[in-house]
Amino acid sequence: RKALTLLLHQGDEMLLLSWVDGADGSEFPVQNLPFGVFSHTLSGRSPRVGVAIGESVLDMQALLAEGLIDHCACAAVFAEATLNAFMAQPRAQWLAVRAALTQLLARDGADPALRESAELRRRCLVPRAEVAMHLPAAIGDYTDFYSSREHATNVGVMFRGKDNALQPNWLHLPVGYHG
C-alpha cells in the first residue's frame, strides 16, 4: 500500500494500471477518475454520484452501502444525489477519496475487495453506455462580471440611463454582480 501511495505522490501515475476492463488507454484510466451524477434506469438507480473508469461508472452510493469507502471521513456525502456536499469538503478529503478509489481500482491496489468479487463488481460498476448523466451540482445562484465595454454600457443604460451608463470605475477594476 505504501508503494502505491508513494507512486501517486511522486508524479509517476502513468505507471498505474487498472483491473477494470477497458480502463487502461481510455479517456478514463485510473489516473483520471472524474466525478459526476448519473442514473441507470435498467437497475432502478436514481441520480447519484459516480466515477468514470474505462467504459464503466463506479457507483459511489453502492460503494458506501458495501462498506468499501467507510474509512474515508466524508464517505456519507456519497449518499447524496449531487456533488455539492463532496465539493464542500476540504482538499484533504478529496485526496483521501481519490486515494481510496485508486486502491480499489488499480491492478496492484491494496484493497482487493472489488477486484476479487464478481458480485461486488456487478453491484458497483455500471456500463457507461447505459447511464444518463445529470447536472452534477445544485446551483443556488451565481456571480457574473461585465465582460465587455458594450455589455457594461447596455446594462448601465437599463439601470442608470444613457447619460450615466458606464461608471468611471469600470475602466479600472472588474465589476461583478450577484445573480
Side-chain angles (χ1 to χ4, degrees):
R1 182 179 185 143
K2 186 175 181 180
L4 182 59
T5 302
L6 288 173
L7 184 66
L8 286 172
H9 294 289
Q10 290 178 348
D12 295 330
E13 295 90 356
M14 296 308 294
L15 299 176
L16 287 176
L17 298 174
S18 177
W19 55 264
V20 178
D21 289 338
D24 297 335
S26 75
E27 292 180 87
F28 305 114
V30 72
Q31 297 86 352
N32 180 28
L33 300 173
F35 289 84
V37 172
F38 77 100
S39 61
H40 187 245
T41 306
L42 296 175
S43 63
R45 295 173 206 224
S46 57
R48 61 194 53 218
V49 176
V51 174
I53 176 76
E55 295 303 318
S56 298
V57 175
L58 184 62
D59 184 337
M60 295 299 289
Q61 198 173 95
L63 287 184
L64 180 63
E66 298 296 339
L68 296 174
I69 54 172
D70 285 350
H71 57 284
C72 295
C74 71
V77 302
F78 298 115
E80 304 289 326
T82 68
L83 282 167
N84 292 54
F86 182 56
M87 292 187 297
Q89 298 298 309
R91 185 172 189 272
Q93 292 303 313
W94 299 349
L95 294 173
V97 169
R98 190 162 298 279
L101 293 176
T102 301
Q103 296 293 348
L104 281 167
L105 298 169
R107 189 175 297 167
D108 297 325
D111 190 340
L114 198 57
R115 178 176 65 232
E116 294 178 359
S117 171
E119 183 58 29
L120 275 178
R121 288 193 305 275
R122 186 189 65 72
R123 290 195 299 263
C124 297
L125 288 168
V126 181
R128 201 162 38 102
E130 297 177 5
V131 305
M133 299 304 295
H134 301 276
L135 186 66
I139 309 300
D141 55 14
Y142 66 94
T143 299
D144 195 5
F145 289 87
Y146 294 108
S147 58
S148 70
R149 185 178 204 130
E150 291 78 14
H151 180 215
T153 301
N154 289 337
V155 171
V157 168
M158 288 188 284
F159 290 113
R160 292 180 296 279
K162 187 176 180 180
D163 295 335
N164 194 24
L166 190 61
Q167 297 288 299
N169 66 338
W170 188 85
L171 298 172
H172 304 287
L173 64 119
V175 176
Y177 61 92
H178 185 255

